[in-house]
């Protein structure tokens, strides 16, 4: 082997050290972790595909690192020429390599963050990446901080046991990594962590290193691309897998930590097992808004599947509990019951343990044996109903309500306490009781979401059928009057003879499914695009008509800017209806949407409007004596309302949370929040601590003059945003050319179409692909557009406003979070890359338009730094800066590859000179690189191009750590 290539091979470590020369702190092992994973990966690449491919990958890396160092755009062209010279097989191998290297860099970061956390050198308040915000809210520190603010331990305990955080898992199509890969990544993370453990022996080290290489190779050899879109049932199963892996055991473990934290502030009581600190809900299989694939049958399947899983999880733990409960002392109540149940039992050969009759000196086991039988039957009944729709297991031999399930467990708990065995009662039995209280028999409560127009269509069909006119054409007053008179009456509105279109049948069948399934399977019925009280009353009437005995609570969702502005008035009109006030029993939930409001008006105006709407809604609710729960529909990315949980909660307006928080956990954020045991623990801790702190120590209210300035800036920002996105005639064409938006649908990420209507412009595009496309090109337009002109105009108007903006940044959490998140997006952005897409893909007459947007980008960035008082982007967070620097060369390579591949796909006259095939063939008989091309035989493009583009999309999404 020539010395030249030897020098090259060692160079990737050297490159990494050049990019991030100094350690950020003593405990900084990131470059070390990164170098280890990369070395292993490149060795595997060389073994599989030969030395030339490895050298080529390293050369690309060096050219990209060179560009990232000095922003010399000639380097992008050099890189583009290198990448387009590859034949289809090599192109896929190289793209896959960079995508894999990026994933490994992400894993190195996660291990580094966990390591720093372990050694407790965590600085408070340093602002990190969205996924790993170190603005940590440790539950114990939060409790102690509240005591320093003159709260008594009893007040803190009281607030804590009465608060509820409901985390709603949604299948938003933003998890672009396949589950097969997520599992391998988890194992790579474990190996890397153990390799650096203190007490590791040489043999352990060797075996761990082998395991690490095996997992890296397995991940590289797995097809990253989903070849078919997932069904809603697939999404549900993927979501449920987190319960199995981490959440199920994570909840009791977290609640124990809360007990410990309480003990340390002098409370010698545990959190009651039925205190609803954490609850889980789901939209998977219930969210039918714009997703025709979520049918009534899907909803039924998903509920039964969750019930079967819940019974199975309890069943898998009950025998362990029986083993532990070997005590013979018990109270009289339990002894009598145990004797009756013991005598009624026959041998059960289908159990592994305790299959014979239980002896009389083990009363707890007799009681738990009966629980086990019922759980077995509960699981089997759900399984039979799921597979064939009927079950031969009678209902009286299964658990049908949570009280039935809790009763024998509570009896055991009471009896142990009565006999002086409380320490035993507070062991596994308490954990089990807490699981039952958290997950119930349904595992998660399913929300149903539907568009308001679909309900209007159903009612229109009914009124036309009854011959009383067209509901659609009635005024709001007339609609309300008719709905209320029907709700107050008793007569059925329609029979089986109602003429139904497919859409109408779908809505009514969904209500029918809700009426047939156990009511504890369901949470809320959410109406998207809700604007008027009649939207809510319509759902109330349809629930009654379809025989739903325990109606779901109806939750209006306000998303567009105008809807948010009108929400308080709309809710006030609803509360002024006496029938409705009696129905809700003093409680109402309202959902506010972050992503569509951002797409509609830009980030600044949307954030401010959401803030004001919440304040107004709380006022309205107080006026009518209603307790309001805000349901926050926020995405993972900043453009869709994402960002570090702790800061997001603490920047909400005072009085809007009050110990009741409901929030969506979407798409890729589910993996970042619950993918590992320690992540699950941190997520539960973060939500609980921040909710408690917000309630007991609310953030400051903005000063009147801050509000005036914000109002003024919001108007300017909306005007600027809409003038570009909606009013500029060239914009849609520019957006379609300059981003991979048209190709997004090929990624098969979610079960939902990317548009609400097949034709149509930006309005009909869903918020996720809209953000996704701009994230891919590193331009992030929806996040920053509008900020620059707002800052510029108010500062030009009065120079004193700059000082006021700085004061707002330093004193008002809401404003600071808004600015910091945009600053973080600028740290990930690169107008040079966006310019490359323009140069290659955008027609000549549109080029000046793109140029103008980039000038706007640079000016916004400059003004933002001025307001934040920072000289440089992220100067307050060296850790995130270092991580982004290490990630950049991979993302740059993938960006260049994407831009040039899109050029080849879209421009038939673009010719490239292909170099000889690089990848050596591992087995002489086959050609692995060529085989990669065959994975997608149906592509309408030239061989390999479609896969290359999809791989770049996935890689960039992983590198930006957000898809949509």
């Amino acid at each position: 082997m020539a010395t030249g290539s030897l020098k090259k091979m060692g160079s990737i470590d050297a490159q990494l050290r050049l990019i991030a020369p100094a350690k950020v702190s003593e405990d900084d092992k990131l470059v070390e972790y990164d170098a280890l994973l990369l070395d292993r990966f490149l060795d595997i690449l060389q073994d599989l595909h030969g030395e030339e491919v490895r050298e080529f990958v390293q050369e690309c890396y060096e050219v990209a690192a060179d560009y990232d160092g000095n922003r010399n755009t000639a380097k992008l062209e050099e890189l583009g020429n290198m990448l387009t010279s590859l034949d289809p097989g090599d192109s896929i191998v190289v793209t896959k390599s960079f995508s894999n290297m990026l994933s490994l860099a992400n894993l190195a970061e996660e291990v580094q963050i966990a390591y720093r956390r372990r050694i407790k050198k965590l600085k408070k308040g340093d602002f990190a990446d969205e996924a790993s915000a170190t603005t940590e809210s440790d539950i114990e520190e939060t409790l102690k901080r509240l005591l320093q603010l003159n709260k008594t331990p009893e007040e803190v305990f009281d607030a804590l046991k009465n608060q509820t955080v409901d985390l709603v898992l949604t299948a938003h199509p933003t998890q672009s990594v396949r589950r097969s890969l997520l599992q391998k990544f988890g194992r790579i993370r474990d190996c890397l962590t153990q390799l650096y453990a203190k007490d590791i022996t040489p043999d352990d080290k060797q075996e761990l290193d082998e395991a690490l290489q095996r997992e890296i190779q397995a991940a590289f050899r797995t097809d990253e691309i989903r070849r078919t879109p997932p069904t809603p049932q697939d999404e549900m199963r993927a979501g449920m897998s987190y319960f199995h892996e981490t959440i199920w055991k994570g909840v009791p473990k977290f609640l124990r930590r809360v007990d410990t934290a309480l003990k340390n502030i002098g409370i010698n009581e545990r959190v009651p097992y039925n205190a609803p600190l954490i609850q889980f809900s789901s939209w998977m299989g219930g969210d039918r808004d714009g997703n025709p694939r979520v049918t009534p049958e899907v909803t039924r399947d998903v509920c039964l599947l969750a019930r079967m899983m819940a019974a199975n999880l309890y069943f898998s733990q009950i025998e362990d509990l029986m083993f532990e409960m070997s005590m013979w002392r018990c109270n009289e109540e339990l002894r009598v019951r145990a004797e009756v149940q013991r005598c009624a039992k026959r041998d059960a050969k289908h159990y592994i343990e305790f299959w014979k009759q239980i002896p009389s000196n083990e009363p707890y086991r007799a009681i738990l044996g009966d629980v086990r039988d019922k759980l077995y039957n509960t699981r089997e009944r759900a399984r039979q109903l799921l597979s064939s729709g009927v079950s031969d297991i009678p209902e009286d031999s299964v658990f049908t309500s949570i009280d039935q399930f809790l009763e024998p467990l509570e009896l055991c708990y009471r009896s142990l306490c009565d006999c002086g065995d409380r320490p035993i009662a507070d062991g596994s039995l308490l954990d089990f009781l807490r699981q039952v209280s958290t997950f119930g028999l349904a595992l998660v409560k399913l929300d149903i979401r539907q568009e308001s127009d679909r309900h209007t269509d159903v009612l229109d069909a009914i009124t036309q059928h009854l011959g009383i006119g067209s509901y659609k054409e009635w005024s709001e007053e007339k609609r309300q009057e008719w709905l209320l008179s029907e709700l107050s009456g008793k007569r059925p509105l329609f029979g089986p003879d109602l003429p139904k279109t497919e859409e109408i049948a779908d809505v009514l069948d969904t209500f029918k499914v809700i009426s047939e399934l156990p009511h504890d399977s369901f949470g809320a019925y959410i109406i998207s695009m809700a604007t008027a009280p009649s939207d809510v009353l319509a759902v109330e009437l349809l629930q009654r008509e379809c025989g739903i005995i325990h109606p779901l609570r109806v939750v209006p969702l306000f998303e567009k800017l105008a809807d948010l502005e009108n929400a308080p008035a709309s809710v006030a009109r609803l509360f002024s209806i006496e029938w409705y006030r009696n129905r809700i029993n003093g409680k109402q939930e309202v959902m506010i949407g972050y992503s569509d409001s951002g797409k509609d008006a830009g980030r600044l105006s949307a954030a401010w409007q959401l803030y004001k709407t919440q304040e107004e809604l709380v006022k309205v609710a107080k006026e009518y004596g209603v307790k309001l729960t805000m349901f926050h529909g926020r995405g993972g990315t900043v453009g869709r309302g994402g960002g570090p949980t702790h800061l997001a909660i603490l920047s909400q307006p005072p009085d809007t949370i009050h110990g009741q928080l409901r929030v969506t956990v979407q798409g890729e954020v589910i993996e970042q929040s619950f993918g590992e045991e320690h992540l699950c623990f941190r997520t539960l801790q973060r939500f609980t601590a921040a909710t408690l702190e917000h309630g007991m120590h609310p953030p400051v209210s903005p000063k009147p003059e801050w509000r005036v300035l914000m109002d003024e800036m919001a108007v300017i920002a909306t005007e600027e945003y809409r003038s570009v996105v909606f009013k500029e005639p060239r914009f849609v064409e520019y957006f379609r050319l300059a981003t991979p938006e048209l190709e997004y649908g090929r990624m098969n990420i979610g079960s939902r179409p990317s548009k609400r209507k097949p034709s149509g412009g930006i309005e009909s595009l869903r918020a996720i692909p809209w953000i996704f496309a701009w994230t891919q090109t590193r331009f992030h337009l929806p996040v920053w557009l509008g900020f620059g002109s707002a800052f510029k105009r108010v500062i030009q108007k009065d120079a004193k406003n700059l000082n006021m903006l700085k004061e707002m940044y330093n004193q008002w959490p809401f404003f600071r979070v808004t600015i910091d998140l945009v600053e973080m997006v600028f740290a990930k952005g690169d107008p040079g890359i966006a310019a490359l897409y323009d140069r290659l893909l955008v027609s000549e007459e549109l080029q000046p338009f793109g140029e103008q947007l980039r000038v706007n980008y640079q000016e916004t960035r400059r003004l933002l730094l001025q307001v934040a008082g920072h000289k440089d982007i992220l100067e307050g967070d060296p850790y995130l800066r270092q991580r982004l620097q290490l990630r950049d060369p991979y993302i740059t390579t993938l960006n260049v590859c994407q831009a040039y591949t899109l050029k080849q796909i879209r421009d038939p006259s673009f010719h490239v000179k292909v170099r000889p095939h690089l990848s050596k063939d591992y087995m002489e008989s086959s050609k692995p690189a060529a085989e990669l091309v065959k994975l997608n035989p149906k592509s309408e493009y030239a061989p390999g191009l479609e896969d290359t583009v999809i791989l770049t999309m996935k890689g960039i999404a992983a590198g930006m750590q957000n898809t949509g």
Side-chain angles (χ1 to χ4, degrees):
M1 204 159 60
T3 46
S5 65
L6 253 175
K7 198 172 93 232
K8 275 251 156 65
M9 307 259 279
S11 67
I12 202 129
D13 284 16
Q15 263 321 128
L16 284 173
R17 298 198 197 289
L18 279 175
I19 293 172
K23 284 191 166 196
V24 181
S25 63
E26 268 314 291
D27 54 23
D28 176 16
K29 285 189 180 261
L30 184 55
V31 176
E32 211 175 311
Y33 291 156
D34 239 353
L36 173 76
L37 290 178
L38 266 182
D39 273 347
R40 294 293 175 269
F41 176 76
L42 290 169
D43 289 346
I44 289 166
L45 184 67
Q46 183 171 336
D47 284 346
L48 294 175
H49 292 288
E51 202 184 307
E52 284 190 24
V53 170
R54 174 180 180 146
E55 281 183 21
F56 184 83
V57 164
Q58 287 189 204
E59 266 173 56
C60 290
Y61 182 92
E62 280 162 32
V63 175
D66 208 355
Y67 163 76
D68 288 317
N70 56 26
R71 297 288 185 238
N72 171 6
T73 47
K75 289 285 167 194
L76 292 179
E77 206 158 309
E78 184 186 333
L79 189 55
N81 292 334
M82 286 167 70
L83 290 164
T84 42
S85 71
L86 296 172
D87 72 17
D90 285 340
S91 172
I92 293 176
V93 171
V94 170
T95 315
K96 215 169 150 46
S97 299
F98 274 94
S99 186
N100 267 271
M101 282 150 64
L102 243 179
S103 297
L104 293 174
N106 282 344
L107 294 173
E109 284 180 22
E110 287 170 32
V111 174
Q112 157 77 356
I113 290 164
Y115 171 72
R116 282 183 52 225
R117 215 171 246 121
R118 265 201 311 278
I119 53 178
K120 275 295 189 202
K121 285 198 177 167
L122 202 58
K123 294 181 184 62
K124 286 284 156 272
D126 59 346
F127 195 100
D129 216 334
E130 292 181 55
S132 50
T134 51
T135 43
E136 207 38 89
S137 28
D138 180 288
I139 188 83
E140 193 161 323
E141 284 169 25
T142 302
L143 299 185
K144 287 179 175 158
R145 201 162 46 241
L146 290 170
L147 293 190
Q148 286 161 4
L149 296 164
N150 299 326
K151 307 281 185 232
T152 66
E154 290 68 30
E155 285 173 327
V156 174
F157 182 46
D158 199 50
L160 185 63
K161 66 184 184 198
N162 287 309
Q163 79 172 31
T164 301
V165 173
D166 186 356
L167 301 176
V168 185
L169 276 57
T170 73
H172 278 51
T174 53
Q175 172 52 283
S176 67
V177 184
R178 295 181 54 200
R179 261 167 79 197
S180 316
L181 283 167
L182 289 172
Q183 287 174 345
K184 293 178 177 63
F185 291 162
R187 291 196 287 266
I188 293 171
R189 229 174 352 220
D190 292 345
C191 290
L192 188 58
T193 307
Q194 289 166 12
L195 265 174
Y196 284 87
K198 289 257 185 309
D199 49 1
I200 183 172
T201 66
D203 287 353
D204 286 341
K205 197 166 187 143
Q206 192 180 335
E207 285 161 19
L208 275 167
D209 199 19
E210 281 173 13
L212 182 69
Q213 294 179 49
R214 184 166 50 243
E215 293 300 338
I216 292 175
Q217 184 160 341
F220 183 57
R221 290 295 227 187
T222 301
D223 187 6
E224 289 174 57
I225 300 172
R226 284 200 187 95
R227 299 293 169 185
T228 51
T231 64
Q233 288 99 319
D234 291 334
E235 289 178 329
M236 156 76 181
R237 281 172 163 85
M240 292 301 106
S241 68
Y242 291 96
F243 285 87
H244 208 263
E245 305 285 319
T246 62
I247 299 173
W248 186 257
K249 293 206 165 83
V251 167
K253 190 172 156 192
F254 165 67
L255 291 170
R256 281 204 175 269
R257 180 60 51 85
V258 177
D259 287 342
T260 307
L262 286 165
K263 209 175 220 159
N264 293 345
I265 63 163
I267 295 282
N268 279 322
E269 259 185 273
R270 293 178 179 275
V271 174
Y273 62 82
N274 54 0
L277 254 68
I278 303 278
Q279 302 279 291
F280 289 93
S281 304
S282 163
W283 279 19
M284 301 177 196
D287 178 10
R288 44 228 335 114
D289 175 13
N291 190 349
R293 298 185 184 100
V294 179
T295 60
E297 184 193 2
V298 165
T299 298
R300 183 176 180 279
D301 283 359
V302 162
C303 285
L304 289 169
L305 184 69
R307 294 184 89 82
M308 184 177 88
M309 281 184 71
N312 194 39
L313 284 163
Y314 291 122
F315 184 75
S316 64
Q317 272 172 230
I318 192 86
E319 282 183 356
D320 294 343
L321 196 58
M322 288 170 79
F323 258 110
E324 282 186 38
M325 295 289 147
S326 54
M327 288 63 68
W328 55 269
R329 277 196 182 81
C330 66
N331 65 12
E332 195 50 36
E333 188 188 1
L334 190 129
R335 178 171 289 108
V336 173
R337 168 98 59 100
E339 199 45 44
V340 172
Q341 290 185 350
R342 202 178 66 76
C343 298
K345 281 278 176 289
R346 289 195 300 277
D347 288 359
K349 293 183 181 176
H350 58 285
Y351 291 138
I352 294 168
E353 305 290 355
F354 306 112
W355 61 281
K356 289 207 290 285
Q357 193 180 37
I358 289 166
S360 59
N361 63 346
E362 296 177 356
Y364 293 100
R365 287 179 172 174
I367 298 286
L368 293 174
D370 187 56
V371 173
R372 175 177 66 168
D373 291 345
K374 282 215 160 116
L375 282 171
Y376 182 84
N377 288 333
T378 305
R379 180 185 71 185
E380 292 309 302
R381 183 177 157 84
R383 191 198 302 276
Q384 290 173 1
L385 286 171
L386 188 60
S387 58
S388 61
V390 289
S391 170
D392 54 8
I393 295 171
E395 217 168 63
D396 59 3
S397 65
V398 303
F399 286 126
T400 51
S401 79
I402 189 167
D403 296 338
Q404 255 182 328
F405 188 5
L406 280 170
E407 194 271 336
L409 301 169
E410 288 169 336
L411 175 61
C412 293
Y413 190 88
R414 276 199 309 278
S415 170
L416 286 165
C417 293
D418 291 350
C419 300
D421 287 332
R422 176 174 278 263
I424 298 171
D426 283 340
S428 305
L429 180 60
L430 178 64
D431 287 347
F432 197 79
L433 278 160
R434 283 173 164 171
Q435 284 168 321
V436 177
S437 297
T438 305
F439 303 108
L441 293 167
L443 194 59
V444 287
K445 288 192 180 304
L446 185 73
D447 281 0
I448 304 290
R449 178 169 78 141
Q450 181 61 281
E451 248 180 302
S452 57
D453 291 352
R454 300 287 299 272
H455 306 130
T456 307
D457 292 344
V458 173
L459 289 171
D460 192 66
I462 292 170
T463 56
Q464 303 240 28
H465 183 59
L466 293 172
I468 53 175
S470 165
Y471 180 84
K472 267 186 191 164
E473 286 161 18
W474 291 352
S475 68
E476 174 61 21
E477 279 64 40
K478 184 164 182 193
R479 286 182 184 188
Q480 277 184 40
E481 187 188 328
W482 179 74
L483 290 166
L484 285 167
S485 76
E486 288 302 330
L487 281 163
S488 312
K490 289 274 189 288
R491 66 164 187 172
L493 266 183
F494 61 90
D497 61 335
L498 177 74
K500 300 180 192 121
T501 62
E502 213 170 293
E503 277 88 2
I504 288 172
D506 186 74
V507 174
L508 292 172
D509 288 348
T510 300
F511 282 112
K512 192 160 161 287
V513 165
I514 298 171
S515 73
E516 289 165 358
L517 287 166
H519 69 94
D520 62 347
S521 279
F522 296 100
Y525 193 110
I526 293 152
I527 313 169
S528 52
M529 307 290 174
T531 49
S534 64
D535 290 334
V536 174
L537 296 174
V539 174
E540 293 286 4
L541 182 61
L542 289 171
Q543 289 198 83
R544 197 199 71 185
E545 280 304 311
C546 297
I548 298 173
I549 300 162
H550 301 274
L552 277 56
R553 61 183 192 279
V554 183
V555 177
L557 159 58
F558 301 104
E559 294 189 273
K560 293 258 164 57
L561 199 67
D563 294 342
L564 284 167
E565 284 168 1
N566 300 329
S570 185
V571 171
R573 296 213 312 269
L574 193 56
F575 288 163
S576 65
I577 299 168
E578 192 184 345
W579 180 91
Y580 188 73
R581 271 205 317 283
N582 295 337
R583 151 85 175 92
I584 58 172
N585 200 6
K587 288 191 206 130
Q588 175 70 44
E589 187 179 310
V590 172
M591 181 167 182
I592 48 175
Y594 286 65
S595 29
D596 277 340
S597 53
K599 186 174 129 243
D600 179 43
R603 188 78 194 101
L604 179 70
S605 319
W608 178 229
Q609 191 54 57
L610 285 159
Y611 189 93
K612 290 196 299 189
T613 299
Q614 287 186 69
E615 289 183 316
E616 295 294 318
L617 285 169
V618 168
K619 271 188 209 147
V620 169
K622 273 190 181 148
E623 210 175 293
Y624 286 95
V626 172
K627 184 173 186 190
L628 192 68
T629 298
M630 298 305 292
F631 180 7
H632 300 264
R634 37 177 280 186
T637 42
V638 177
R640 295 183 40 247
T645 302
H646 183 76
L647 294 177
I649 293 175
L650 290 181
S651 64
Q652 297 300 326
D655 279 351
T656 52
I657 292 180
H658 258 330
Q660 294 288 325
L661 178 70
R662 216 171 175 237
V663 62
T664 54
V665 184
Q666 298 188 355
E668 82 276 24
V669 184
I670 299 179
E671 171 64 21
Q672 290 157 12
S673 305
F674 298 109
E676 298 263 312
E677 269 179 44
H678 72 99
L679 294 176
C680 171
F681 183 86
R682 262 171 41 210
T683 301
L684 300 179
Q685 172 163 269
R686 225 182 252 167
F687 275 108
T688 304
T691 302
L692 181 70
E693 189 173 339
H694 187 284
M696 296 199 77
H697 179 57
V700 292
S701 271
K703 296 179 182 173
E705 61 268 30
W706 295 352
R707 285 178 179 279
V708 173
L709 193 60
M710 274 306 288
D711 282 337
E712 201 177 321
M713 290 201 307
V715 171
I716 300 165
T718 304
E719 196 183 309
E720 159 85 354
Y721 179 88
R722 288 182 175 166
S723 73
V724 172
V725 174
F726 295 111
K727 300 197 177 119
E728 165 59 65
R730 297 170 298 178
F731 181 76
V732 175
E733 192 191 344
Y734 174 76
F735 168 59
R736 298 257 149 93
L737 290 173
T739 70
E741 184 259 328
L742 292 167
E743 288 76 11
Y744 165 81
R746 301 176 176 277
M747 278 183 63
N748 286 329
I749 296 187
S751 67
R752 185 167 81 167
S754 60
K755 285 214 176 87
R756 288 177 194 269
K757 300 187 178 68
S759 59
I762 303 295
E763 304 77 47
S764 70
L765 189 71
R766 286 199 165 271
I768 293 169
W770 164 242
I771 301 285
F772 185 93
W774 290 112
T775 308
Q776 289 283 307
T777 64
R778 314 266 291 279
F779 198 48
H780 305 285
L781 177 108
V783 179
W784 57 263
L785 185 60
F787 275 90
S789 51
F791 289 151
K792 191 172 160 186
R793 293 252 288 275
V794 297
I795 294 168
Q796 275 173 353
K797 184 176 146 188
D798 184 349
K800 285 201 212 90
N801 281 340
L802 179 61
N803 288 335
M804 197 194 298
L805 287 167
K806 286 182 173 173
E807 175 188 75
M808 286 156 70
Y809 179 78
N810 289 318
Q811 294 176 22
W812 183 19
F814 162 78
F815 191 69
R816 184 181 192 114
V817 168
T818 306
I819 299 297
D820 281 350
L821 287 174
V822 179
E823 181 179 357
M824 187 190 69
V825 169
F826 274 126
K828 293 178 175 181
D830 181 354
I833 296 282
L836 174 74
Y837 282 79
D838 276 19
R839 205 165 58 247
L840 290 171
L841 304 169
V842 171
S843 56
E844 236 168 79
E845 59 275 18
L846 285 175
Q847 299 250 355
F849 180 61
E851 190 50 48
Q852 190 185 322
L853 286 175
R854 285 192 292 282
V855 170
N856 189 340
Y857 174 102
Q858 295 291 16
E859 185 169 46
T860 303
R861 184 174 182 270
R862 182 182 61 75
L863 287 161
L864 188 94
L865 286 174
Q866 205 178 346
V867 168
H870 295 169
K871 282 191 196 61
D872 202 4
I873 287 276
L874 290 184
E875 68 174 30
D877 188 359
Y879 287 102
L880 180 56
R881 261 185 60 188
Q882 175 204 36
R883 301 216 299 272
L884 292 177
Q885 279 167 342
L886 287 172
R887 253 188 261 166
D888 266 351
Y890 311 114
I891 305 179
T892 298
T893 308
L894 288 167
N895 273 128
V896 171
C897 182
Q898 185 180 83
Y900 276 89
T901 310
L902 287 171
K903 175 75 171 168
Q904 284 171 275
I905 285 176
R906 294 179 189 177
D907 180 0
S909 64
F910 180 65
H911 287 301
V912 288
K913 188 165 178 287
V914 176
R915 63 193 281 165
H917 183 66
L918 282 181
S919 178
K920 79 156 176 138
D921 300 332
Y922 194 72
M923 297 161 291
E924 291 310 311
S925 60
S926 72
K927 301 192 167 23
E931 278 185 356
L932 285 167
V933 180
K934 288 188 207 141
L935 284 172
N936 189 354
K938 296 199 184 78
S939 177
E940 63 214 62
Y941 306 136
L945 292 182
E946 184 174 342
D947 277 14
T948 302
V949 162
I950 296 173
L951 287 167
T952 61
M953 286 191 197
K954 282 178 172 284
I956 294 163
M960 305 307 278
Q961 293 206 341
N962 26 38
T963 38

